[in-house]
Amino acid sequence: MTWLLKAVTGVWLLQLAWRFKRALAVSAVAVFAIAAYGWAGLVLLVVGPPLLALLWRWVHPWSYWRFVGWLVARHRLRTTYGLRWAEVMQSCGLHRPIPGRPGEFTTPRLVRVTDSPVGDVLHVRLLTGQEPGDFERQAAELAHALGAPAVRVTSAGPGLVELTLVERDVLADAVELHDVEAVTDLRAVRFAVGEDGSWRTRDYANIAAEVGGGVPGSGKTAGETSLACGLIQNPAVQYVVIDGKGGEDWSWIAPRAAAYTNEDEDLDVVLELVESVHRLMRARLKTQKTQRGRANFWDLPLDPAHPAVFLVVDEVQTFTDQKGMDKDTKAVAATITARLSALVKKGRSAGVITRLLTQKPTSDAIPTAIRDNASVRTAWRVLSDDAAEAILGPVVRGSAVTPVDIPVSMPGVAVVADAGGQLERVRFPYVDEHTAEQIATRTAELRRDLADLTGPVPAEDATADESASEQEATA
Ligand SMILES: Nc1ncnc2c1ncn2[C@@H]1O[C@H](COP(=O)(O)OP(=O)(O)OP(=O)(O)O)[C@@H](O)[C@H]1O
Ligand SMILES: [Mg+2]
């Protein structure tokens, strides 16, 4: 009956026209162009749009490529993914039968497709009662059904989930920097690239310490170097570097560092430096409120006269792991460890950030008291779950993301915790040491000597320090 009604009223004609709306629109424009301007109009119609597109691409490539990306994504929404969506959902068990209508089902809705450096991202609205975990459990099936090597599932707000079809491993390629942007905001410091190809940032305000570990050659020093290259360009940042490897990995920073040593045998030299930073911390904690008005360094504006101090100790096990040391050296090592421990615990509100790197992520190298107070942790390639746990904590045991399987061929790839505490893989950028050296030389006038920052040692404080160190060392 309905077909008769449609035939009589002419609705069928409208339906047919709607179906071929694009072809009809193009023909109408062509007919109009011929009628108004003759064949020249038609030629203009054929040549005009490509020329306009070329002009657009030349004048404003950014918006042009965005528009092209949007068109391609729209096309994929309708064809590649849209046409098979119901079948994919059903084969992965993510559909729901409609009660009372046997054989029929509803599926989560594919809302949008966007592109990313990794591959297409499908934005999906969940059915009531579903949660992102339902998709996570089916990730492997989804990858096969959608023809992608892997599918990453992320929650994108209430009732929404994003499926990233991972076609390319962004982290497989090195991110080499030939210059590094200056860090102006310590609350958002770019440190590495995430798996979606975009930069990750860290808030260095209100952080006391960071520990990082990984096997030799995994990229610890290089990662720390790239971070330092951005930070040293800020006049309100001073760096103190202690290189326990005893080599020249850090010599590039000497012109800019408030203090630098690569002494790995005479632990007294190292102790003296650590003591200085510790003294600065104590002085700030004691006088900051009366002199500058606030007890917390990070509540005050950043000021080159009162810089944030980054203390980097590379291969920290040289100074903390007492195995094989003679008695006197052991005592010095214990004091260094005690001082580092105090810095890690109390340095935050004094604007002192302690960063410890090691090849040996065990409790001998980084005592648990230090590790547990380090809020930022980075694990480059390690060889065992125990080593991974020693750096990242127990969270790594139940996580699919682990630093144990990072390939040797990918130095600079590491596992870090994101702002929400979830573990993720990132790749640190690589800055070769000549570039780093140039940056350090260029910014050498921003250097302030550590002795100027700490001021002279008050006599009573020096004695108090000595007795405190003895107590902590024996503790
Ligand atoms: N992010 C990176 N991208 C590309 N290559 C890197 C990266 N990081 C490190 N590398 C390469 O790996 C080499 C070793 O890196 P690095 O010196 O940082 O290792 P490490 O973990 O500090 O080793 P060790 O414990 O022996 O000091 C570098 O010389 C460089 O060639
Ligand atoms: Mg190193």
Side-chain angles (χ1 to χ4, degrees), residues 221 245 249 314-315:
T221 306
K245 202 183 196 181
D249 284 0
D314 202 350
E315 305 304 355

Side-chain angles (χ1 to χ4, degrees), residues 128-195:
T128 314
Q130 281 185 330
E131 51 116 1
D134 296 335
F135 278 71
E136 256 161 46
R137 282 185 284 280
Q138 299 301 104
E141 284 89 339
L142 280 167
H144 284 289
L146 291 164
V151 166
R152 203 178 301 136
V153 181
T154 34
S155 169
L160 291 171
V161 77
E162 283 175 10
L163 310 179
T164 307
L165 311 194
V166 187
E167 301 280 355
R168 299 171 282 278
D169 186 358
V170 174
L171 305 189
D173 301 323
V175 184
E176 204 159 324
L177 299 183
H178 300 291
D179 199 1
V180 182
E181 257 180 55
V183 170
T184 47
D185 182 4
L186 262 65
R187 288 171 200 271
V189 180
R190 294 202 320 189
F191 70 97
V193 174
E195 280 183 295

Side-chain angles (χ1 to χ4, degrees), residues 90-101:
Q90 192 189 12
S91 60
C92 296
L94 292 161
H95 65 303
R96 286 264 174 79
I98 303 176
R101 284 156 69 176

Side-chain angles (χ1 to χ4, degrees), residues 32 49 79 106 203 244 262 282 304 318 341 344 353 366 371 421 458:
F32 172 77
T79 54
T106 54
D203 179 355
N262 61 352
R282 288 190 65 204
T318 315
S341 178
V344 167
I353 299 150
I366 301 187
R371 199 173 53 226

Side-chain angles (χ1 to χ4, degrees), residues 171 173-176 213-226 243 245 249-250 314-315 317 357-360 380-381 408-413 427-431 433:
L171 305 189
D173 301 323
V175 184
E176 204 159 324
V215 297
S218 55
K220 302 180 292 294
T221 306
E224 192 63 33
T225 298
S226 64
D243 182 3
K245 202 183 196 181
D249 284 0
W250 282 96
D314 202 350
E315 305 304 355
Q317 75 282 354
L357 299 174
T358 183
Q359 293 180 349
K360 192 169 177 277
W380 283 269
R381 175 181 152 79
V408 194
S409 57
M410 285 159 91
V413 173
R427 179 154 204 159
F428 280 79
Y430 183 69
V431 181
E433 53 191 326

Side-chain angles (χ1 to χ4, degrees), residues 2 58 185 198 232 274 343 384-385 390 439 474:
T2 12
W58 182 62
D185 182 4
S198 51
I232 56 169
V274 178
L343 283 165
S384 68
D385 287 339
I439 295 174
T474 46

